């Protein structure tokens, strides 16, 4: 199986630059940044709370979409050939309470962001979207209500035998999945594979408007999943545990309230980003481009990329964001090493958004320090 090539911008490891970069988050954005920066000769260390690099690309997306072997082979190549050091099961704390996000069970080492800033010449924050959106309806806190991430993550993570992480128990139960993105599709297929007695998928619009596309819906129906459209959940029924779902459904002439029996409800309606110290780092200003250096936060040597900056996105956009931020970080380190920061014209780079990367030979490699 062909490995993912995170070092596609260089054919061979370059000479060491003498600079050290720490990347927080080993998802697609962080791995893309690690590949770019190691191609500049920087010593790169990647910190992630999960037991293996890959982020939600490995722990949230089923293997038939992205084979885990390709991800693992690509990160192994980063480590062995380009010297990237991975600190797994390591959480960089943090402005949110511990264990409020999926995956925190794996963290056995906690480090402060301040210590990271002192250790490395530059930091890249590329944390992902580990907290799910809520429906904000009555009954959402009942036992048996799971977010898409809470449902999918344990299925992938259970193989690593983390304390308290087991695949969802849906065997013989009626499952309702709310949403129509790829996470909702994956949750529905997962429920079928885990032996659910009945799986129903509810979406507020039509199948033609579903983000997953009509082909995915047809595959679900072929697997025995019932598709119901034009539905908006209003209340989750039950006293201590889920017994059903109340929803408003569009019908000719208006709406009507309807109910559906269920023991498990999966709310696969998206995630939110979980960057550490978002306010202190001034991430809102970075999003607006109100910075002198592209992707630099309020702390001079701390940059940000991926979901931490833009919110949840597709893998391609996350990779692009990591590459763009890594290029800005690399330019900043190069000029700083020569004490020439004032020569950098930030406004021009920001306005162009660094849309084009060097083609052919890798021309961004910095001078080796001391030469």
């Amino acid at each position: 199986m062909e490995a993912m090539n995170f070092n596609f911008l260089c054919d061979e490891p370059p000479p060491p630059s003498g600079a050290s970069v720490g990347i927080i988050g080993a998802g697609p954005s962080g791995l893309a940044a690690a590949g770019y920066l190691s191609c500049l000769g920087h010593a790169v260390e990647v910190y992630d709370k999960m037991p293996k690099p890959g982020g939600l690309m490995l722990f949230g997306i089923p293997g038939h979409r992205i084979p885990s072997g390709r991800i693992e082979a690509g990160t192994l190549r980063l480590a062995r050939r380009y010297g990237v050091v991975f600190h797994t099961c390591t959480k960089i704390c943090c402005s949110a309470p511990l264990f409020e996000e999926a995956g925190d069970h794996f963290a056995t080492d906690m480090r402060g962001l301040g210590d990271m800033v002192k250790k490395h010449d530059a930091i890249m924050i590329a944390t992902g979207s580990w907290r799910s959106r809520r429906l904000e309806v009555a009954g959402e806190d009942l036992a048996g209500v799971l977010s898409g991430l809470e449902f999918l993550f344990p299925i992938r993570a259970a193989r690593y035998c983390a304390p308290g992480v087991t695949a969802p128990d849906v065997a013989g139960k009626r499952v309702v999945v709310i949403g129509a993105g790829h996470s909702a599709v994956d949750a529905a297929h997962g429920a079928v594979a885990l032996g659910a007695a009945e799986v129903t998928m509810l979406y507020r619009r039509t199948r033609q408007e579903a983000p997953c596309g009509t082909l995915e819906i047809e595959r679900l129906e072929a697997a025995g999943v019932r598709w119901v459209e034009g539905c908006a959940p209003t209340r989750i029924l039950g006293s201590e545990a889920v017994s059903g779902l109340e929803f408003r459904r569009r019908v000719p002439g208006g709406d009507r309230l309807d109910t559906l029996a269920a023991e498990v409800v999966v709310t696969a309606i998206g995630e939110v980003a979980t960057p550490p110290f978002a306010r202190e780092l001034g991430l809102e200003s970075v999003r607006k481009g109100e910075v002198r250096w592209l992707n630099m936060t309020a702390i001079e040597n701390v940059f940000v990329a991926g979901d931490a900056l833009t919110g949840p996105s597709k893998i391609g956009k996350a990779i692009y964001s990591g590459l763009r931020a890594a290029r800005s970080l690399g330019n900043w380190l190069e000029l700083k090493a020569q004490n020439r920061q004032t020569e950098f014209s930030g406004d021009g780079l920001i306005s162009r958004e660094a849309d084009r990367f060097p083609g052919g030979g890798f021309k961004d490699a910095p001078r080796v320090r001391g030469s």
Side-chain angles (χ1 to χ4, degrees):
M1 184 177 293
E2 186 179 356
M4 285 189 174
N5 182 12
F6 299 105
N7 298 95
F8 63 89
L9 288 172
C10 62
D11 296 325
E12 298 291 337
S17 70
S20 169
V21 179
I23 298 175
I24 304 172
S29 185
L31 292 175
Y36 189 104
L37 292 166
S38 60
C39 275
L40 295 178
H42 301 323
V44 178
E45 297 185 40
V46 182
Y47 303 80
D48 196 273
K49 64 184 177 182
M50 304 304 296
K52 286 194 173 186
L56 288 172
M57 189 167 56
L58 181 65
F59 289 93
I61 299 176
H64 70 271
R65 296 194 187 278
I66 303 179
S68 60
R70 292 195 63 205
I71 303 168
E72 293 173 2
T75 56
L76 189 63
R77 184 174 184 269
L78 272 172
R80 289 183 174 176
R81 189 169 184 186
Y82 291 86
V84 174
V85 177
F86 288 98
H87 301 275
T88 55
C89 298
T90 301
K91 186 174 177 72
I92 308 303
C93 288
C94 53
S95 52
L98 291 177
F99 304 111
E100 122 173 335
E101 303 168 4
D104 283 357
H105 304 80
F106 289 104
T108 57
D109 185 11
M110 306 289 176
R111 305 192 188 188
L113 181 60
D115 295 333
M116 299 282 293
V117 171
K118 295 175 184 176
K119 177 180 178 180
H120 298 285
D121 295 297
I123 297 291
M124 174 83 71
I125 296 176
T127 49
S129 298
W130 289 93
R131 192 179 306 138
S132 298
R133 296 186 185 277
R134 291 176 60 85
L135 277 175
E136 303 297 344
V137 299
E140 192 169 8
D141 294 322
L142 289 170
V145 180
L146 302 170
S147 68
L149 191 55
E150 287 172 329
F151 186 86
L152 290 169
F153 171 75
I155 296 174
R156 298 279 279 175
R159 72 183 72 175
Y160 297 105
C161 301
V165 178
T166 57
D169 179 16
V170 300
K173 298 178 180 179
R174 292 167 292 188
V175 179
V176 176
V177 179
I178 301 170
H182 286 291
S183 292
V185 169
D186 294 339
H189 279 300
V192 171
L194 291 171
E198 179 181 289
V199 181
T200 304
M201 195 168 187
L202 264 62
Y203 182 50
R204 60 196 177 100
R205 295 188 176 128
T206 67
R207 69 171 61 208
Q208 286 74 26
E209 298 171 285
C212 65
T214 57
L215 179 59
E216 291 284 6
I217 298 170
E218 291 169 4
R219 288 173 174 167
L220 283 172
E221 291 176 325
V225 176
R226 178 188 174 202
W227 168 267
V228 184
E229 61 186 37
C231 300
T234 55
R235 183 162 58 107
I236 298 174
L237 307 174
S239 54
E240 295 181 359
V242 174
S243 63
L245 178 72
E246 178 187 270
F247 57 95
R248 190 173 298 279
R249 186 175 186 180
R250 288 199 304 269
V251 295
D255 294 347
R256 76 175 184 204
L257 279 179
D258 208 343
T259 59
L260 193 61
E263 289 79 45
V264 177
V265 173
V266 181
T267 60
I269 57 174
E271 290 74 43
V272 294
T274 54
F277 303 107
R279 181 177 300 177
E280 293 84 348
L281 292 172
L283 295 191
E284 188 59 34
S285 296
V286 183
R287 294 185 186 104
K288 294 177 181 177
E290 297 172 352
V291 290
R292 190 171 68 86
W293 287 82
L294 183 71
N295 288 67
M296 182 184 278
T297 70
I299 301 178
E300 187 182 55
N301 65 335
V302 178
F303 292 72
V304 63
D307 288 5
L309 178 63
T310 63
S313 63
K314 295 182 179 180
I315 291 175
K317 290 184 177 179
I319 290 173
Y320 169 75
S321 178
L323 291 171
R324 185 176 71 168
R327 186 184 194 189
S328 179
L329 187 155
N331 288 338
W332 179 78
L333 281 176
E334 169 72 356
L335 293 180
K336 185 181 179 184
Q338 303 172 48
N339 198 27
R340 295 170 48 206
Q341 297 97 310
T342 56
E343 296 180 25
F344 180 80
S345 177
D347 291 341
L349 183 57
I350 292 169
S351 64
R352 293 197 308 272
E353 294 188 337
D355 283 329
R356 303 181 69 86
F357 290 95
F362 192 67
K363 302 174 183 177
D364 281 4
R367 301 179 182 86
V368 177
R369 287 188 180 179
S371 63

